[in-house]
Amino acid sequence: MAQDDKTNGRNVTLEDVVRLAGVSLATGSRVMNASPTVNSDARRAVEKASAQLGYVPNRAARSLMTRRSNAIGVIIPAPTSRILMDPFFLMFFSAIGTELALHSYQLLLVMPQSFDEEKHLERYLASGHIDGIVVTALHGDDTLPERIAARGVPVVVSGRAPLGARASYVDADCRSGAAAATAHLLAQGRRKLATISGSLDMPSAMDRLLGFRDALETAGIAADPALEAVGDFSQQGAAEAMNLLLERRPDLDGVFVASDTMAAMAMHVLQGSGLRIPEDVAVVGFDDQPIAQTTEPPLSSVRHPIEAMSHEMVRLLLHGIEAPDNQPRQVIFPTELVIRESSGGLSMARS
Amino acid sequence: MAQDDKTNGRNVTLEDVVRLAGVSLATGSRVMNASPTVNSDARRAVEKASAQLGYVPNRAARSLMTRRSNAIGVIIPAPTSRILMDPFFLMFFSAIGTELALHSYQLLLVMPQSFDEEKHLERYLASGHIDGIVVTALHGDDTLPERIAARGVPVVVSGRAPLGARASYVDADCRSGAAAATAHLLAQGRRKLATISGSLDMPSAMDRLLGFRDALETAGIAADPALEAVGDFSQQGAAEAMNLLLERRPDLDGVFVASDTMAAMAMHVLQGSGLRIPEDVAVVGFDDQPIAQTTEPPLSSVRHPIEAMSHEMVRLLLHGIEAPDNQPRQVIFPTELVIRESSGGLSMARS
DNA sequence: TTGTAGGCGTTATCAC
DNA sequence: GTGATAACGCCTACAA
């Protein structure tokens, strides 16, 4: 019967394997877990039988014993709406997923849509169903990471955790990256520099703004609040911010934008106003996403090493799972300024 | 001891709950599973004890018995690279996730990076660890859905499955949506219509191209292959395609683009060439993503109901889990043309 | 190095 | 309606 396919001859279990291999369950289990204390003959027999039968360990049974789920959750906290739309997250998921797959961990995507859901989630996470958590797109006042950590589940925040939070995080050195981008604009002789920032309740947004100010201060240029606008990481927000800036300071000659997605939109607005990039206004973005290479002109941007950072997050998490010590760790990766044409920093000699 | 926090007084189990409630394990289980055959006194007692203890059912143990994981997997097959970057997927994940949460299912994100991984995956999926699968971004020759379905795991493809494939899918009526968009351009008096399509090995891309051709044919306009270019759903591909089209037919006066992400880029290229939108060239996109509202001018686009479609996918999946019958089902949702300024179809009277 | 036996937390099958 | 009790598939002392 067709509808019996699934259970037909039911799923093959370790018992089936060891029976075929002629060893005991214990030995079979040892082989599956790469225990060193097993005769190579036995090992081969088990492996052969396993392959022959197409055995796949039952995760539920294993979890029940080991109290591990071999799954880690990636959480985007509730007030997520607009920022979620940044394709940056896709790269991030992909990088984390690849890294996890290497360790045969699963990636659980969790996107609570309300605070109620998030509350429920918290209990759920704490009950041993997920071995570790990556929290991303965290807003400043959210104590979710600490609450989870307090329940003994390893957590790592992607991006700097809020000041004073006792949580592990992995981040790029956004502040100095932003400062480098701004310094680069200054080096091109630009003096009327504006910035479009992300939502300022997000540390990553704040860091980029602070870096911008740092560079101005270093150069001895007084900060002008009218040259700072918030774009909240959305394209729409960026368009509004750029228009606002142009209205307030029509003579601005450079813009540092806190994400490439926003920068692309800002460029669009600038060009729509008849301004040339980089001749009239130089632009630098942040993230060095693929879009930076396809804007016209190509967008200078601050690159952060997503793969390396993802790798580190997973490493921290797995470490926290293997050897829990509740010590928050912070790892900061350096950024790199990638200069393209939008900032006028390239020799114009390109054919 | 700090490192003992997690197991301190270990996780509360159903046994703890029933002991406190003064009932048997069986009754406790019945309450948890909303069995009708339980006295309301007993029910209340269990619920109270459960709340008091903060009980959370152990999924592993439950799975072991029920042979259900209460998880569904969302798969983006291997050759994923560029298209993955479309923010459309984020909306999609979010919609699916919300829908799943309603049924207390988990969302497993699976992004195999190679065919080897994908192969391994197949066995894994088949071994009862995931109750159902959503396959998305499927390329034409990929038989993954059928292979999974053949192993008895419910599968639904997001977007039309390849012709001849025996798989359930949920899709928008892309073909007629594309035709409507094209007809709209024709209605504006445009006669030299071009299109930028997605990767033609993806049914959704092909459907949009076919719809474009349908409308031309209906209008009695001969198809001109030089007015069709492939943009593969990436921004870079779109830019290249638009440039190619302009080179081949500098006098084109309308473009139908298979995704908003690509359309935004195409507009950019057009404007970079000094062409006005919609005066010189009218543009219509597809997806009606947020970006459509923030381009300059706002982008006309074909909307498909992501939420409703996600809802339906989950419904199909859960149905397939509850009552397996291996009957592939197809559900097609109508699309809706949203007219904004980019197509010149709005009265220009707007203030 | 290997095997035996007990248990992980639930649900399902029975009697009662 | 309710309560024992036997699975579910695997891991892991412990003994051999």
Side-chain angles (χ1 to χ4, degrees):
Chain A
M1 263 181 250
Q3 72 184 52
D4 217 311
D5 280 2
K6 190 173 177 180
T7 46
N8 184 13
R10 86 194 188 297
N11 268 322
V12 17
T13 119
L14 185 54
E15 190 167 354
D16 302 328
V17 174
V18 298
R19 190 177 307 131
L20 179 58
V23 298
S24 77
L25 263 170
T27 301
S29 176
R30 289 188 186 104
V31 172
M32 292 307 152
N33 294 290
S35 158
T37 75
V38 45
N39 178 328
S40 52
D41 283 347
R43 156 162 292 117
R44 263 192 295 276
V46 172
E47 280 166 350
K48 185 179 163 201
S50 171
Q52 190 170 328
L53 267 42
Y55 170 69
V56 178
N58 182 314
R59 265 186 131 98
R62 178 176 282 177
S63 290
L64 196 52
M65 265 313 284
T66 61
R67 294 152 176 293
R68 295 253 177 94
S69 63
N70 269 269
I72 82 109
V74 173
I75 301 188
I76 304 183
T80 251
S81 50
R82 291 169 99 187
I83 184 175
L84 175 66
M85 294 308 122
D86 200 305
F88 171 80
F89 282 102
L90 288 171
M91 304 196 62
F92 178 67
F93 292 160
S94 175
I96 291 276
T98 303
E99 199 59 42
L100 284 176
L102 253 38
H103 300 271
S104 37
Y105 266 72
Q106 298 184 330
L107 167 43
L108 239 52
L109 189 55
V110 186
M111 300 177 282
Q113 298 292 326
S114 69
F115 282 113
D116 270 5
E117 273 185 59
E118 191 173 321
K119 200 68 194 168
H120 174 75
L121 187 71
E122 202 180 321
R123 269 234 314 259
Y124 175 73
L125 296 181
S127 56
H129 294 310
I130 302 192
D131 296 339
I133 312 280
V134 175
V135 179
T136 183
L138 193 63
H139 288 254
D141 49 354
D142 200 331
T143 56
L144 184 64
E146 291 169 285
R147 301 203 305 275
I148 298 173
R151 301 201 187 217
V153 179
V155 181
V156 54
V157 178
S158 167
R160 179 164 74 70
L163 283 175
R166 230 178 141 277
S168 290
Y169 63 83
V170 172
D171 199 359
D173 189 350
C174 293
R175 185 161 179 171
S176 72
T182 308
H184 166 66
L185 288 171
L186 292 168
Q188 308 308 308
R190 313 292 170 147
R191 281 300 171 272
K192 201 96 181 174
L193 295 188
T195 188
I196 297 176
S197 64
S199 327
L200 293 184
D201 61 342
M202 302 180 72
S204 58
M206 187 49 93
D207 284 350
R208 292 167 206 195
L209 176 58
L210 292 177
F212 172 79
R213 291 177 181 162
D214 287 349
L216 290 184
E217 188 179 339
T218 301
I221 298 179
D224 177 358
L227 282 168
E228 297 178 358
V230 176
D232 86 351
F233 285 126
S234 74
Q235 291 205 317
Q236 181 162 5
E240 290 162 6
M242 193 67 249
N243 278 315
L244 183 63
L245 290 169
L246 283 175
E247 194 175 301
R248 295 199 292 218
R249 294 288 184 269
D251 57 337
L252 58 84
D253 59 8
V255 192
F256 166 64
V257 191
S259 79
D260 286 353
T261 310
M262 291 201 297
M265 183 51 79
M267 287 173 68
H268 203 146
V269 170
L270 288 168
Q271 291 168 329
S273 304
L275 294 165
R276 291 165 306 158
I277 300 172
E279 292 81 355
D280 301 320
V281 181
V283 180
V284 181
F286 205 107
D287 286 341
D288 193 32
Q289 284 183 50
I291 195 181
Q293 301 176 45
T294 61
T295 53
E296 185 53 42
L299 175 66
S300 298
S301 188
V302 179
R303 171 185 301 167
H304 41 155
I306 300 189
E307 277 78 15
M309 290 168 68
S310 303
H311 179 90
E312 181 63 20
M313 284 183 234
V314 171
R315 207 188 63 74
L316 281 181
L317 237 31
L318 297 190
H319 176 83
I321 293 168
E322 295 299 329
D325 64 358
N326 277 355
Q327 284 308 310
R329 292 156 212 271
Q330 286 87 34
V331 182
I332 309 291
F333 283 78
T335 59
E336 176 191 357
L337 179 61
V338 180
I339 299 179
R340 300 198 181 85
E341 291 173 35
S342 70
S343 59
L346 269 193
S347 148
M348 285 299 142
R350 99 188 234 286
S351 62
Chain B
M1 260 183 254
Q3 72 183 53
D4 216 309
D5 279 1
K6 188 174 177 181
T7 46
N8 186 11
R10 86 193 189 298
N11 269 321
V12 18
T13 112
L14 185 54
E15 190 168 354
D16 302 328
V17 174
V18 298
R19 191 177 308 132
L20 180 60
V23 298
S24 77
L25 217 43
T27 299
S29 176
R30 288 187 188 105
V31 173
M32 292 308 152
N33 294 288
S35 158
T37 75
V38 46
N39 179 326
S40 52
D41 282 349
R43 154 161 294 117
R44 263 192 295 275
V46 172
E47 279 164 351
K48 185 178 163 200
S50 170
Q52 189 170 328
L53 267 43
Y55 168 69
V56 178
N58 181 314
R59 265 187 130 99
R62 177 177 282 177
S63 290
L64 195 53
M65 261 320 277
T66 60
R67 294 154 173 293
R68 295 259 176 90
S69 64
N70 268 268
I72 82 107
V74 173
I75 301 189
I76 303 183
T80 251
S81 50
R82 293 167 99 188
I83 183 176
L84 176 65
M85 293 308 122
D86 199 303
F88 172 80
F89 282 103
L90 288 171
M91 303 197 61
F92 177 67
F93 292 161
S94 175
I96 291 276
T98 303
E99 199 59 41
L100 285 176
L102 253 38
H103 301 270
S104 40
Y105 268 72
Q106 300 186 137
L107 166 42
L108 239 54
L109 190 54
V110 185
M111 301 176 284
Q113 298 293 326
S114 68
F115 282 112
D116 270 5
E117 272 185 60
E118 191 174 319
K119 199 69 194 167
H120 173 75
L121 187 70
E122 204 181 319
R123 269 234 314 257
Y124 176 73
L125 296 182
S127 57
H129 294 309
I130 302 193
D131 296 340
I133 313 279
V134 175
V135 179
T136 183
L138 193 63
H139 288 256
D141 49 353
D142 201 330
T143 57
L144 184 64
E146 291 169 285
R147 300 202 306 274
I148 297 173
R151 302 202 187 217
V153 180
V155 182
V156 53
V157 178
S158 168
R160 181 166 72 71
L163 283 174
R166 228 178 143 279
S168 291
Y169 64 82
V170 172
D171 200 359
D173 188 350
C174 294
R175 186 160 178 172
S176 72
T182 309
H184 166 65
L185 288 170
L186 291 168
Q188 307 309 308
R190 313 294 169 147
R191 281 300 172 271
K192 200 98 181 173
L193 296 187
T195 187
I196 298 177
S197 64
S199 327
L200 292 184
D201 61 342
M202 301 182 71
S204 58
M206 186 50 92
D207 284 349
R208 291 166 206 195
L209 175 58
L210 292 177
F212 172 77
R213 291 177 182 164
D214 288 348
L216 290 184
E217 188 179 338
T218 301
I221 298 180
D224 176 359
L227 282 168
E228 297 178 357
V230 176
D232 87 353
F233 285 127
S234 74
Q235 292 206 318
Q236 181 163 2
E240 290 162 6
M242 192 67 249
N243 278 315
L244 183 63
L245 290 169
L246 283 175
E247 195 176 300
R248 295 201 292 220
R249 295 289 184 268
D251 56 338
L252 59 84
D253 58 8
V255 192
F256 166 63
V257 191
S259 80
D260 286 352
T261 310
M262 292 201 296
M265 183 51 80
M267 288 174 68
H268 202 145
V269 170
L270 287 169
Q271 291 168 328
S273 305
L275 294 164
R276 292 164 305 159
I277 300 172
E279 293 81 354
D280 301 319
V281 181
V283 180
V284 180
F286 204 108
D287 286 342
D288 194 33
Q289 283 183 49
I291 193 180
Q293 300 176 45
T294 61
T295 53
E296 186 50 43
L299 175 66
S300 297
S301 188
V302 180
R303 172 186 301 166
H304 42 155
I306 300 189
E307 278 78 17
M309 291 168 68
S310 303
H311 178 90
E312 182 62 20
M313 284 183 235
V314 170
R315 207 188 63 76
L316 282 181
L317 238 31
L318 297 190
H319 176 83
I321 293 167
E322 295 300 329
D325 64 357
N326 278 355
Q327 285 307 310
R329 291 156 213 271
Q330 286 86 34
V331 183
I332 309 292
F333 282 80
T335 58
E336 177 192 357
L337 179 62
V338 180
I339 299 178
R340 299 198 180 84
E341 290 172 37
S342 70
S343 59
L346 270 192
S347 148
M348 285 298 141
R350 98 189 235 284
S351 64

